Amino acid sequence: MRLILFFFLVSPIFTNAQNNYPQDYFNPPLEIPLILAGNFGELRSNHFHSGLDIKTQQREGLKVLACADGFVSRIKIAHFGYGKALYITHPNGYTTVYGHLQKFSPEIEAYIKKQQYEKESFEIELFPSAETLPVTKGSLVAYSGNTGGSGGPHLHFEIRDKEERPMNPMLFGIDIKDTSKPTVSAVYAYTLDENASVNKSNSKQKLRLIPLKSGDYTTESIEAFGNIGFGIETNDRQDLAANSNGVYNIQTFLNGNQNFEVDFSVFSFDESSCINQFIDYEHYISNRQRIQKLFKKSNPLSILKPSLNEGVLTIEDSTASVYKIRVSDFKNNASFVTINIKGNKTTISNPKVEKTTPYYITANQSTNLKSGNVSVDFYPETFYENFYMDFNVNNDTLTLHKDIVPTRKNFTISYDISNYKDPDKDKLFIARLVGYKKYPLYSFTKRAGNILSTSTKTLGTYALATDTVKPTISALNFKDGQWLSNFRFLKVKINDTLSGISNYRATVNGKWILMEYDYKTKTLTYDFNDDIVTDTKNDFKLIVTDNVGNSATFEATFFRK
C-alpha cells in the first residue's frame, strides 16, 4: 500500500514540471522519425550531454529545418566540438542549436564563406544581427553531417533558455518513443567516514543485485553503521534503438521519506565538469564504468535537488531500515531498487588506511609545489575535497598523483628550461604521458623567456618532450602537373605525430583558399565551386606548422579549363 501511495505522490511531479514549457512551439529539426543515439543529460567524459543526438540513418546530407521562426544569432565552425554549428534565437527567448552539420543552406553558406575569405580562416565564429539571416519555421537552414567531434553521422540538437542553459528538448514536446523501464546494472554502498561500516568493512561494497519478475530489483540485505551512501549504474533505452542512454530522474527514499533527487532537466555549461564529482571518478578511471553517487558530498551541481542530509544515511545500531531507489526516464517508465539495511555496530575487519604524503592539499587554499626545475600551482577550489597528493620530480618527469581525483578548475604546471641550449628550447613542449608505454600527449604549452607552462585539469605524469620533425603532407586525389577540369574537390592529407598540427595556410596563384580540415581523417579539402581558381595554370602551395613551430611546405601545379 505504501508503494502504491508513493507512486501516485511522485507521478504528478513529472507531469507538472513538463507542462511548464510550450508544447507546440518547436517542430522537430528533421523530416525523418526521431531516433536517438544519445539523450539529454547523458553521462559523457567530463560533461553532461547537452542535447539530443538524433540518428540520421547512417548518412549525411539530410535537410535540417528551423524548429520555429527566428534568426540565425550565432555560427561557429571549429575543427573539434560541434564542428559546424548553427544557433537560432526565437521570439519566445529560447535558442535552438544544430551541431555536426555538413554544410549550411545556400544563403547562410554564402554569408559564412564571405566572412571566412575576408578573415582567411576556416575556423570562425560569427554573431549576425537579427536582420541579417531571418528564418521561418520549417525552412531549410543546413544539412546534417559528421563534423567536429562527432563519432558518426548524426544531428546534435539543443534548446537553451535566455541564460544559455541547455534544457531537455523533450520538455518542449519533441517526442521520442520510449516504452521500456530503465535498467540497473550495479549498486554500491559507500562508507562516508572512518567509523562507518557496511558488512563489517569501511570500504566501498558492490551489492548483489537481484532482478525481480516485475522488472524491479532488490539486493542482498546489508549490515551497516554510521554515515553511508549509495551509488548506482543505470541507463535507459528508447524504442527503435539499441543505444544505452541516460536516465531522466533518480530519487531515493529511506523508510518512505525522500532523501535525495537527481533531475536531468536543465543545467549550465559552467557546472557540467562537476560530473566528475557526481560519479565515482576513481572507479571510472580504473573500470570505465560510471557509478552515479546518490549523495552530494561537496558538489555544486544544480541537478542535485535540495535533499534530507544531502543523501547521506546515518544508520544507528539495532535498527531496521528500507532504502529505495526510483530510476525513471522522461516517459515516466520507472524501475525500483529495494535495499534492506540492518543497523549493526561491529568491529571493522581490514579497516581502510589513508595513505599520507608530505603534500596535503586543502581544497579552499592555494598550494604551490616545487622541486628542481618544476613548479605546480593549485588555486583555491581546484579540488572538491582535501587529500594527500603524490608529488615527485625525477629529471624532467613530474609525477603528480594519479588521474583519480576530480578537479573543478585548471591548475598550472611550469618548467624552467634555463639549463637547455638555446637552439633546443624552441622545440620543447610539456606533454602528459599516457597509456602503458607513457606516450607523450601534447599539452597546450606557452613560453615566457625560460619558463614553459601549461594549464590543465588532469593529474598524472608529465614531462618535457622535444619535437624536431616537420608535419607530413601528401596529395590524395591529384598529382603535380595534372589536369583537374572535371574535379569538384582538391584533397590533401596532413599529419604530425608528436606535438600536433597548429595551423595551415593554402594558396593558389598567391590567393588564399578555404580548405576545410577534418581532424578525424587528417584531410584538407578545397571546393572548386568557391570560384577562386579561374586560371588555366595554377600553382598550389600549402604550409603546415606544428605546435612547436616546425613547418612543412607542399607545392604542386595543376591545370583547369
Side-chain angles (χ1 to χ4, degrees):
M1 181 66 185
R2 173 183 286 178
L3 183 60
I4 295 173
L5 178 61
F6 153 76
F7 178 78
F8 281 106
L9 287 173
V10 170
S11 294
I13 295 174
F14 296 94
T15 304
N16 292 337
Q18 293 172 19
N19 286 341
N20 290 334
Y21 303 91
Q23 297 299 294
D24 300 315
Y25 192 88
F26 295 112
N27 277 355
L30 296 172
E31 298 174 307
I32 60 173
L34 302 189
I35 301 173
L36 299 186
N39 65 352
F40 184 86
E42 193 170 283
L43 309 182
R44 300 284 180 90
S45 293
N46 300 314
H47 70 285
F48 296 98
H49 191 233
S50 57
L52 303 180
D53 282 348
I54 305 172
K55 290 175 178 280
T56 55
Q57 302 172 340
Q58 300 181 340
R59 56 196 176 109
E60 299 182 42
L62 274 64
K63 292 180 179 179
V64 176
L65 310 177
C67 293
D69 293 349
F71 68 95
V72 176
S73 55
R74 182 184 178 195
I75 302 163
K76 186 173 183 179
I77 298 178
H79 296 144
F80 308 104
Y82 292 173
K84 295 184 178 182
L86 191 71
Y87 301 70
I88 299 175
T89 295
H90 305 280
N92 65 353
Y94 294 102
T95 297
T96 50
V97 183
Y98 314 76
H100 305 306
L101 303 171
Q102 179 193 60
K103 59 182 179 180
F104 304 90
S105 67
E107 181 185 6
I108 298 173
E109 188 82 11
Y111 172 82
I112 296 168
K113 284 200 173 183
K114 183 176 183 295
Q115 301 294 322
Q116 287 174 314
Y117 272 98
E118 286 182 2
K119 298 178 186 298
E120 295 191 353
S121 176
F122 167 62
E123 289 193 299
I124 198 167
E125 187 169 17
L126 304 169
F127 297 90
S129 66
E131 298 77 26
T132 303
L133 294 170
V135 298
T136 57
K137 190 173 187 175
S139 63
L140 174 70
V141 293
Y143 295 88
S144 67
N146 186 30
T147 56
S150 172
H154 72 275
L155 175 68
H156 175 85
F157 175 69
E158 295 179 17
I159 298 179
R160 299 183 185 179
D161 65 10
K162 293 178 181 179
E163 298 174 22
E164 282 292 303
R165 297 181 305 170
M167 315 184 77
N168 191 332
M170 297 175 70
L171 291 166
F172 297 84
I174 302 296
D175 189 46
I176 307 296
K177 188 176 182 182
D178 187 352
T179 57
S180 301
K181 293 182 178 183
T183 58
V184 177
S185 54
V187 175
Y188 292 81
Y190 290 79
T191 56
L192 302 181
D193 60 54
E194 60 184 9
N195 298 315
S197 65
V198 173
N199 295 337
K200 299 182 180 180
S201 172
N202 66 351
S203 297
K204 177 177 67 181
Q205 300 289 306
K206 184 175 182 178
L207 307 183
R208 184 166 65 90
L209 191 64
I210 305 168
L212 303 175
K213 290 182 179 180
S214 63
D216 295 327
Y217 305 84
T218 187
T219 72
E220 59 186 333
S221 298
I222 65 171
E223 291 186 353
F225 178 77
N227 293 325
I228 68 169
F230 290 89
I232 188 171
E233 286 182 50
T234 182
N235 59 65
D236 187 46
R237 288 186 178 178
Q238 289 82 42
D239 296 6
L240 308 176
N243 302 75
S244 294
N245 301 137
V247 301
Y248 180 69
N249 186 276
I250 306 174
Q251 295 174 316
T252 69
F253 300 82
L254 182 65
N255 298 327
N257 297 311
Q258 183 174 328
N259 80 324
F260 195 73
E261 181 178 6
V262 189
D263 179 61
F264 294 97
S265 294
V266 57
F267 60 86
S268 71
F269 286 108
D270 289 341
E271 63 180 336
S272 191
S273 66
C274 294
I275 186 176
N276 290 334
Q277 179 71 349
F278 171 59
I279 64 172
D280 184 332
Y281 186 69
E282 181 175 355
H283 185 94
Y284 170 69
I285 292 297
S286 302
N287 302 282
R288 293 297 160 183
Q289 298 166 339
R290 293 184 175 97
I291 303 171
Q292 301 178 57
K293 294 185 293 190
L294 304 179
F295 50 93
K296 193 168 183 180
K297 202 175 183 184
S298 308
N299 199 329
L301 273 172
S302 62
I303 65 169
L304 306 181
K305 301 305 176 185
S307 55
L308 180 64
N309 203 25
E310 297 189 331
V312 176
L313 282 61
T314 301
I315 305 299
E316 297 180 354
D317 192 26
S318 303
T319 59
S321 303
V322 178
Y323 180 79
K324 287 185 179 290
I325 308 170
R326 181 185 191 271
V327 184
S328 60
D329 58 29
F330 186 84
K331 292 298 183 73
N332 215 18
N333 303 302
S335 297
F336 291 86
V337 181
T338 301
I339 305 170
N340 290 295
I341 307 170
K342 179 182 179 182
N344 184 16
K345 186 175 183 179
T346 184
T347 301
I348 297 173
S349 59
N350 299 319
K352 183 169 51 179
V353 178
E354 183 178 21
K355 178 183 176 182
T356 61
T357 75
Y359 309 101
Y360 187 71
I361 304 299
T362 304
N364 63 359
Q365 297 178 9
S366 296
T367 303
N368 173 263
L369 303 178
K370 184 172 176 58
S371 178
N373 65 327
V374 182
S375 177
V376 183
D377 288 293
F378 298 111
Y379 311 104
E381 313 302 334
T382 296
F383 300 101
Y384 296 92
E385 301 174 68
N386 305 340
F387 70 104
Y388 286 98
M389 173 172 283
D390 288 325
F391 172 75
N392 180 62
V393 177
N394 184 8
N395 295 323
D396 286 332
T397 300
L398 163 67
T399 300
L400 196 60
H401 212 72
K402 293 180 180 178
D403 180 24
I404 57 175
V405 178
T407 56
R408 280 183 81 169
K409 58 175 71 169
N410 286 28
F411 57 90
T412 301
I413 299 171
S414 302
Y415 278 81
D416 186 333
I417 58 171
S418 300
N419 59 330
Y420 280 83
K421 295 179 181 179
D422 286 340
D424 298 331
K425 293 176 182 177
D426 291 339
K427 304 304 178 184
L428 291 172
F429 65 94
I430 301 173
R432 183 163 66 91
L433 305 184
V434 298
Y436 174 74
K437 295 184 178 181
K438 299 298 182 182
Y439 179 82
L441 185 68
Y442 177 81
S443 185
F444 182 76
T445 304
K446 293 181 178 180
R447 180 179 172 187
N450 285 320
I451 302 298
L452 292 183
S453 63
T454 187
S455 180
T456 179
K457 292 183 74 173
T458 307
L459 298 174
T461 304
Y462 289 81
L464 285 181
T466 301
D467 184 0
T468 59
V469 181
K470 299 177 183 178
T472 59
I473 307 173
S474 56
L476 289 179
N477 68 337
F478 69 98
K479 297 178 181 179
D480 186 32
Q482 186 175 350
W483 282 88
L484 304 179
S485 300
N486 297 321
F487 283 50
R488 166 75 185 271
F489 300 105
L490 191 72
K491 293 180 178 289
V492 178
K493 185 171 184 176
I494 62 175
N495 192 29
D496 189 85
T497 57
L498 197 50
S499 64
I501 301 295
S502 172
N503 58 70
Y504 60 89
R505 178 180 175 82
T507 58
V508 171
N509 299 331
K511 295 180 181 179
W512 184 85
I513 60 170
L514 173 64
M515 297 200 82
E516 300 195 1
Y517 180 52
D518 182 349
Y519 80 93
K520 296 190 287 287
T521 61
K522 300 179 174 63
T523 302
L524 289 171
T525 302
Y526 168 68
D527 187 347
F528 282 112
N529 283 356
D530 283 359
D531 293 330
I532 299 301
V533 177
T534 57
D535 297 335
T536 301
K537 181 182 178 182
N538 298 280
D539 295 320
F540 172 72
K541 183 176 182 179
L542 173 64
I543 301 172
V544 180
T545 306
D546 67 20
N547 279 297
V548 298
N550 299 307
S551 290
T553 301
F554 175 89
E555 295 184 274
T557 299
F558 63 87
F559 301 88
R560 280 176 65 86
K561 285 185 179 179

